[in-house]
Each structure stands twice: as structure tokens, then as C-alpha cells.
Amino acid sequence: PVFTPMPNLSPPPPALADGLTALLDTLSLRGVALYRARVRAPWAIGFDATTGNGGVCEATANAVFHMVLNGAPCVLRREGCDPVTLCPGDFALLTRSHDHEVASDNRVAATPLASALARGNITADGWLEFGTGGAVTE
């Protein structure tokens, strides 16, 4: 498991922090893999159902979450489901691990997370930079 602290982020409002703490307290978490990305449109990253993390770790994921911190909205895609637009401040929790993708829009083919990590740039403060020169999403 990997955990990278997220510097320079203001704490969430107390009501959000309390609600998130209550939610996370009900989950039985064995480990956390946390990836922070600063992506530039057009981009799309795929996450694998068996690991929840694009094949980067060998562990099985019970749940997966994505949170949009700043920038342009993005789309959470899963086969058989309507795409869900995520805007800054949105938190999406998949309570069971499924193949899914997070993308700048519905037209972009997904790159598996392991490939995005290999092809992107990891900054000194731990952010994955991936994509081309368009709108930024964190």
C-alpha cells in the first residue's frame, strides 16, 4: 500500500470532514493506494476490477474512490452505466471494485493506470502529471 500526504490542501469543511470520517469508520479497510493526478485534457485513465488500481498492486480492492480537487470537470465511466460528471469538490465512491475509467470526456480511450504512471511524469511532491496541453483537472 502507498500513502502520499496531500500538501497545500485546505481542510474540508467540518460537516464534510465529520461525514467522511463517519463513512470511512464503517468500512473495513486493510490498506490504501492513493494516487494524486494533475491531468491535462484530453486524457482517460482505466482502473481494473481485480485490483481496483489498474494492475499496479497485487491486492484486491474492496472499494475505490475518486475525488476531484480542482480544475475542469471529468467523467466517471463504467460499462453498462450512464457516465457520471464529477466537478471540483465531488467525491465518488464505488463500494465494490469494478472496471471503470475516469476521463476528461467520453470520446477519449482509456490508458490503464500502470501505463499512465509509466508514461506520465511524477513531480517532486508526488503528483502524476499526464495528458496533453488542455484543461487541467486535479
Side-chain angles (χ1 to χ4, degrees), residues 32 48 51 60 62 68 88 109:
V32 174
D48 182 281
T51 62
T60 300
N62 291 341
V68 180

Side-chain angles (χ1 to χ4, degrees), residues 9 22 26 32 35 43 54 59 68 81-82 85 99 123:
L9 295 178
T26 66
V32 174
Y35 302 96
W43 61 272
V68 180
C81 298
D82 291 335
T85 299
D99 283 353
T123 65

Side-chain angles (χ1 to χ4, degrees), residues 36-45 70 72 74 102-104 116 127-132 134-138:
R36 298 179 305 161
R38 185 173 294 118
V39 288
R40 294 180 182 276
W43 61 272
I45 299 176
N70 295 301
C74 59
V102 181
S104 57
W127 285 80
L128 165 64
E129 293 181 330
F130 182 73
T132 56
V136 176
T137 303
E138 294 180 340

Side-chain angles (χ1 to χ4, degrees), residues 103-120:
S104 57
D105 64 70
N106 280 322
R107 301 169 301 215
V108 183
T111 299
L113 177 60
S115 296
L117 289 168
R119 290 179 17 205

Side-chain angles (χ1 to χ4, degrees), residues 59-97:
T60 300
N62 291 341
V64 176
F65 74 88
H66 298 280
M67 183 171 182
V68 180
L69 301 174
N70 295 301
C74 59
V75 180
L76 175 65
R77 306 184 302 209
R78 199 174 118 217
E79 189 173 330
C81 298
D82 291 335
V84 175
T85 299
L86 301 175
C87 296
D90 286 349
F91 179 90
L93 176 65
L94 285 73
T95 57
R96 295 182 190 87
S97 185

